[in-house]
Amino acid sequence: MQRLKISHLTEYRYASPVTLQSHQLLLRPREGHDVRIESSKLDIFPASTLKWHRDMFDNSVAVASFLEPADRLSIASEVVIEHYEEAPLDFVVADYAMNYPFLYNVEERVDLLPYEQSVYPSDQAAVRDWLSGLGIGQGPMQTYAILDQTNRAITSNFPYIKREEAGVQAPSQTLTNRSGSCRDYAALFIEACRYLGLASRFVSGYLHAPATEAGNAATHAWAEVYLPGPGWKGFDPTIGEITGSRHIAVAVARHPEAVPPISGSFMGPIESAPTLTVSVQVVALWI
């Protein structure tokens, strides 16, 4: 078991006071058999009311409604978790899905269908050609081998860049540029899986690594693929690993742009366009 403290500060500064509309916060890690939240704290300025709910993907969502105008918006989250996923490769795929291609069972197929549908249909040819160049999709292969090879191909051949622009690159753009951020690589991996008929989804969260201990980290993104037997298994194409106790999932979604950590709007003069500062720190704690 590993204990981790996640500190996440997001601050917007405006040139003059603005009226803040409701903001949606996806900052609380997803709990389960592998993750337990030990403590959590959320500090928000200016004064606000907070309501929690779970969305269609069972993500824990907070909605902040603000009570007064302000020239600054600050959202500080601090969560301590216990992470029990110490053997991520200790799983067995169901016999019928050990080798690709295969079809999901009838009882699973209806629920998984949305996760098999392309988000970038015009990019399918580019994704097909890229997979073909890797020798994937040309004939029977072990299912896990396909996923592992695709995952490692991205991290081996595409250098990581930190993109400040909002949104996610289309897979064809990532393939053309041969570079991207973690969310871009997750989108490419997901689209490749869906082209192959493997149900997959986008995951937003945090990664514990040496750089995150120093406090100069950011949120992270990866993908999950549904494998009969073990269920949803995480693959991180930014680092070429299957996910484990270093990964802390916060939100999942079918579409890569559906789960930003913080989203909302404000009303104010044009010159009030904000400056944004984000600071993330993920630190291992002594048990």
Side-chain angles (χ1 to χ4, degrees):
M1 187 268 284
Q2 182 173 215
R3 293 177 69 235
L4 298 168
K5 182 174 76 171
I6 305 126
S7 303
H8 183 167
L9 171 65
T10 301
E11 188 169 82
Y12 294 90
R13 289 189 175 271
Y14 305 87
S16 59
V18 300
T19 300
L20 295 162
Q21 306 299 304
S22 294
H23 279 56
Q24 178 173 285
L25 317 179
L26 285 161
L27 299 170
R28 185 179 176 88
R30 290 170 62 88
E31 292 186 271
H33 67 277
D34 54 344
V35 173
R36 187 182 78 85
I37 294 177
E38 182 179 303
S39 64
S40 65
K41 181 172 64 174
L42 192 58
D43 294 323
I44 302 175
F45 178 88
S48 64
T49 60
L50 205 61
K51 291 186 177 181
W52 291 86
H53 68 272
R54 289 193 177 274
D55 65 13
M56 70 182 77
F57 303 107
D58 204 32
N59 300 315
S60 188
V61 183
V63 177
S65 299
F66 299 94
L67 306 177
E68 58 191 17
D71 61 1
R72 176 173 67 91
L73 169 59
S74 176
I75 300 171
S77 169
E78 183 178 286
V79 183
V80 175
I81 67 165
E82 297 173 358
H83 207 316
Y84 295 88
E85 183 63 278
E86 296 178 348
L89 288 171
D90 185 16
F91 65 90
V92 178
V93 178
D95 288 345
Y96 78 90
M98 286 280 290
N99 295 304
Y100 176 87
F102 68 90
L103 289 176
Y104 290 109
N105 283 337
V106 174
E107 59 269 23
E108 296 176 324
R109 205 173 300 160
V110 173
D111 293 323
L112 292 174
L113 184 60
Y115 300 99
E116 297 178 62
Q117 295 176 343
S118 171
V119 172
Y120 307 92
S122 61
D123 288 20
Q124 288 287 282
V127 171
R128 177 200 63 210
D129 293 344
W130 176 64
L131 288 172
S132 179
L134 297 176
I136 293 173
Q138 307 301 303
M141 285 183 68
Q142 189 181 58
T143 303
Y144 177 76
I146 287 178
L147 295 169
D148 184 57
Q149 183 178 342
T150 305
N151 199 37
R152 294 178 186 274
I154 295 174
T155 193
S156 299
N157 299 304
F158 297 79
Y160 171 84
I161 60 171
K162 185 177 180 180
R163 289 199 309 108
E164 300 295 343
E165 302 89 348
V168 177
Q169 281 183 172
S172 60
Q173 185 178 352
T174 300
L175 291 170
T176 298
N177 295 345
R178 301 195 68 78
S179 64
S181 67
C182 57
R183 60 189 187 275
D184 304 323
Y185 293 154
L188 172 59
F189 182 86
I190 290 167
E191 202 68 8
C193 290
R194 291 177 179 174
Y195 175 79
L196 295 169
L198 301 173
S200 56
R201 64 187 184 183
F202 183 87
V203 187
S204 174
Y206 304 101
L207 175 69
H208 177 235
T212 71
E213 293 269 358
N216 56 347
T219 55
H220 194 51
W222 59 95
E224 287 182 344
V225 180
Y226 187 81
L227 295 174
W232 291 103
K233 297 299 294 184
F235 292 82
D236 186 346
T238 301
I239 57 177
E241 295 180 6
I242 193 167
T243 61
S245 61
R246 297 205 297 148
H247 292 79
I248 306 104
V250 170
V252 301
R254 186 186 72 85
H255 197 294
E257 296 192 20
V259 284
I262 297 172
S263 58
S265 60
F266 69 92
M267 296 177 62
I270 295 176
E271 62 270 16
S272 293
T275 59
L276 170 63
T277 302
V278 177
S279 174
V280 174
Q281 185 178 33
V282 184
V283 178
L285 303 175
W286 293 107
I287 298 175

